[in-house]
Amino acid sequence: MRTAAKLRLRNGLLFISPWLLGFALFVVYPVGATFYYSFCDYDVLSHPVWLGLQNYRDMLTDTVLWQALGNTLLYAAVSLPLGLALSLGLALLLNQPIVLRPLFRTIFFLPSLVPAVALAMLWLWMFNGQFGLLNIALETFGIKGPIWLGDPAWTKPALVIMSLWGVGGGMIITLAALQEVPRELYESAEIDGARARHKLWHITLPMISPVLYFNLIMGLIGVMQIFAQPYIMFGGNGGPSRSALFYAVYLYENAFTYNDMGYACAMAWILFLIILGLTLIATRATRRHIYYAGKAK
Amino acid sequence: MKIRPLNALLLHVVVLLAGVAFAFPLAWMVLTALKPLEQTMTLPPVWLPHRLYLPDTDPPVEARQVGRFERPMVRIERDDTGETEWVPREYVSGGELRVISSTGEETARFVHVLEEIDASPEAPWYRLRAIHPDGSLGEERLLPADQVTRRISLRWDNFILALRAMRMFPRYLANTVVLCLLTVCGTVISCALVAYGFSRIDWPGRDRLFILALATMMIPFPVVMVPLYGLFRWLGWIGSLKPLWVGAWFAPPFYVFLLRQFFLTIPAALADAARIDGCNEFAIFRRVLLPLVKPALLVVALFQFMATWNDFLGPLIFLTDQRDFTLALGLQYFQSQHGGTEWHYLMAASTVVILPVIVLFFFTQRTFIEGISMTGLKE
């Protein structure tokens, strides 16, 4: 029997060996190296020179970095809740008896498939201050639209609107969860005289809470790393008054434009810690409200 | 579920409005892609691409619109130089043209009025030039909009012209397709193996290691970016496609997670039967399991295809020569060269980048939606 256990261990490790190798090469080595470089002056071309905590100290006084971090947190604080609410709202809508439901599901979902670069191109055009569709639409309601991408006050709202257009993925996940909620729960609630909003609050939302939590965490990890759209639309310097300079964009600039890779590595570690911290806070804050069916908690 | 008629109506109004809002950007992109340049930048907007024809010609001669007037205009001849031009009527009074320069200086010139028209935003006049068979343009003519014949006409050749303007489009496309093939094959093969090891074989420490694999998904790309760049540089791979596909052969954890979810639903009895028949583990994987999980493999292949097709940061960092660019990077490069004016070409090129993704989605819709739904299901 002991040989059978040994054989299983050997086979198991053999099967997962691609991941083990990848883990060593693409996770352990680079994460460790980034940590080391974050204490060094490093430009890839020459050997890293030990600096101690200098990179981290520089970060404290780097006003551009603080602006980028502020932009990123502000953007996240607005786009994440709005995105979650919209994906939930659309999913709830599609869970109702609606004519042409598959068509609407497709219409809501398709934008989330659009590649980031094409997305940026499309919205550069949509947000064009003079001929963009958005301002033309606003004009029909008698509203004079801003110049969006040219106005520091409107660059981040523009990016939020773009992100809302792409909530289709989260919507599909939520919709799938909604369809898993057992019908009997609603039926027995109806017998007890529950109204629609009671059913939503006391049955639907608790039952799909694991998926809402999943969307929250995935959204959080993604939103803190936003790069492609602002980089393509505003370039590496972050557009008017650096209003669209995000953390990952500034990190990229430091690494590949200024060749200050040590500093970029320090920034990367701080980003990692921020994401971990926010994930922890989000988990703590929501833990009591998440209901896992079949698991007594 | 029963629903009151009024609520049902309200529901449909909301879903319809949301649907229009979500559909409009893509529709606007495609419409812009099918317009000639002069119809992209007009106010009010041109909704449907069209061609204009002069009214008094037989057969109708096509004309290009080179401008439009929306307020009363006069054509004047300057007394000093003899030049003629169209100016708003309010600038001319008593044989004098008053022009206020950007510095606020007012100058007056003696002119005399040759003709005038009564254009308004509701009844604009078009400035048109006939398009001759050889492509050259005729004399400018001025016609009230309602006299000009307009026929809807989609400029499909914009696509060809836009791709030609991208110059290396065939290279971009070839690079992207090669990358997609390599990453899809790598991911499907390696992740199937690893997911099998993490779900169908029982060995000590397996689940703890799997949690570790899942946890690595939280690591932001910037944290590994610089050392990977250094590693690939040391290997001499910067400026080649290798950094963009090699990683896929080492089982990205997200896809392992998806496949494992699927593998766990297959009853163990099948494998046990094969084991009793003396099959080794790899044969069970290959002959028993893989045929049963084809839909899951397809989901992983689709997701990886999309990820590679859409990736921007990877190519931006690792590719240096324009000949190696992917479509995503090529499109961005094109925009940086031609952006800001040639919106019709930019939208045509963007449409070309989006189209394969959408076509693929339509052919695999059911699998795709199921796959996405699966990502949200935790154990």
Side-chain angles (χ1 to χ4, degrees), chain A residues 5 8-9 11-13 15-23 25-27 29-31 33-34 37 42 44-45 86 90 93-99 102 104-111 113-118 121-126 128 130-133 136 164-167 169 172-173 176 183 190 211 214 218 221 225 227-228 231-232 248 251-252 255-256 261 264-265 268-269 271-272 275-276 279 295, chain B residues 1 3 11-12 14-16 18-19 21-26 28-29 32 40-43 45 47 190 193-194 196-198 201-204 209 212-213 216-233 246-247 249-251 253 256 281-282 285 306 309-310 312-313 316-317 328-329 331-332 335 340 343 346-347 350 353-354 357-358 361-362 365 368-369 372-373 375-379:
Chain A
R8 281 207 303 272
L9 178 63
N11 281 338
L13 289 176
F15 270 95
I16 68 158
S17 56
W19 173 75
L20 277 177
L21 265 174
F23 180 64
L25 267 175
F26 301 120
V27 180
Y29 160 68
V31 168
T34 298
Y37 294 152
Y42 180 52
V44 170
L45 306 170
L86 184 62
L90 291 177
L93 210 55
L94 287 182
N95 202 34
Q96 302 290 323
I98 279 173
V99 184
F104 283 110
R105 191 183 62 180
T106 306
I107 287 177
F108 294 143
F109 176 64
L110 271 189
L113 293 178
V114 172
V117 183
M121 302 303 150
L122 170 55
W123 285 93
L124 276 175
W125 180 220
M126 291 288 293
N128 185 296
Q130 211 178 350
F131 306 108
L133 187 61
I136 291 168
L164 291 182
W165 193 57
V167 297
I172 294 286
I173 295 176
R183 288 272 147 264
E190 270 159 39
V211 161
F214 174 82
M218 285 307 172
I221 296 174
Q225 298 181 55
F227 175 81
Y231 181 82
I232 296 163
L251 197 163
Y252 170 88
F256 296 101
M261 302 256 182
C265 286
W269 264 96
L271 175 66
F272 194 13
I275 290 179
L276 276 180
T279 309
K295 269 188 199 168
Chain B
M1 222 188 292
I3 206 162
L11 208 61
H12 281 88
V14 172
V15 85
L16 196 67
F22 269 75
F24 240 102
L26 281 178
W28 185 243
M29 176 188 75
T32 305
T40 60
M41 290 188 270
T42 58
L43 286 175
W47 294 103
S190 65
L193 285 166
V194 173
Y196 186 88
F198 272 133
I201 309 173
D202 211 2
W203 46 276
L209 213 53
L212 180 67
T216 61
M217 284 201 291
M218 280 207 43
I219 299 172
F221 182 66
V223 173
V224 294
M225 184 169 84
V226 167
L228 284 184
Y229 183 83
L231 176 70
F232 293 137
R233 220 185 88 86
V246 168
W249 290 82
F250 293 93
V256 174
E281 209 58 53
F282 189 76
F285 165 74
M306 298 270 177
W309 188 273
N310 297 355
F312 174 68
L313 182 53
L316 181 69
I317 292 175
L329 196 57
L331 181 59
Q332 192 254 344
Q335 190 266 338
W343 289 106
L346 192 61
M347 291 303 110
S350 301
V353 173
I354 296 175
V357 179
I358 294 197
F361 168 72
F362 273 105
Q365 201 166 4
F368 208 101
I369 297 276
I372 295 202
S373 311
T375 58
L377 302 179
K378 286 263 172 182
E379 303 152 78

Side-chain angles (χ1 to χ4, degrees), chain A residues 29-40:
Chain A
Y29 160 68
V31 168
T34 298
F35 189 61
Y36 172 65
Y37 294 152
S38 77
F39 299 104
C40 297

Side-chain angles (χ1 to χ4, degrees), chain B residues 266-282:
Chain B
I266 309 282
L270 285 170
D272 289 341
R275 225 166 256 138
I276 289 163
D277 289 347
C279 279
N280 69 24
E281 209 58 53
F282 189 76

Side-chain angles (χ1 to χ4, degrees), chain B residues 24-93:
Chain B
F24 240 102
L26 281 178
W28 185 243
M29 176 188 75
V30 176
L31 283 176
T32 305
L34 292 167
K35 284 175 193 170
L37 181 62
E38 68 269 17
Q39 288 174 23
T40 60
M41 290 188 270
T42 58
L43 286 175
V46 171
W47 294 103
L48 296 173
H50 56 251
R51 286 176 199 274
L52 300 174
Y53 296 91
L54 297 175
D56 43 9
T57 48
D58 189 49
V61 171
E62 195 193 335
R64 173 170 304 166
Q65 188 185 338
V66 293
R68 63 192 268 146
F69 292 141
E70 291 184 344
R71 48 181 168 172
M73 302 290 288
V74 291
R75 191 156 78 98
I76 46 127
E77 184 179 346
R78 277 171 61 167
D79 289 353
D80 50 353
T81 58
E83 286 167 16
T84 66
E85 61 177 322
W86 283 95
V87 296
R89 187 159 64 197
E90 68 224 52
Y91 292 178
V92 180
S93 67

